[in-house]
Amino acid sequence: MAKGRSFAAKLAHELSTEGKVMCPKCNTEVRRVKLIRNRASKAGTWMPRYEFIKVCKCNEEDLLSGK
């Protein structure tokens, strides 16, 4: 059975930056996001292309706008 944690322990774990990659420009956590784009195949149909990109507040607007 899992050990119960207090609210203070959960909050301290969430606020710690240990093991997280921080952006030096905007000082927020850099997250990996799976991006699915369309690409044309040799047969003329569309296929999904999966890629992981790193997102922070600096480039989040460009990603969400589709640039």
Side-chain angles (χ1 to χ4, degrees), residues 21-63:
V21 178
M22 303 300 283
C23 176
K25 187 176 178 183
C26 63
N27 200 23
T28 59
E29 181 183 3
V30 177
R31 301 173 309 213
R32 283 186 39 174
V33 176
K34 187 175 187 179
L35 187 65
I36 303 172
R37 295 184 180 175
N38 290 332
R39 68 177 172 133
S41 68
K42 293 179 183 177
T45 60
W46 291 97
M47 296 175 49
R49 185 177 85 197
Y50 304 101
E51 57 186 273
F52 286 95
I53 59 169
K54 295 180 180 179
V55 178
C56 68
K57 290 292 181 185
C58 301
N59 61 357
E60 186 177 40
E61 288 296 322
D62 292 338
L63 178 70

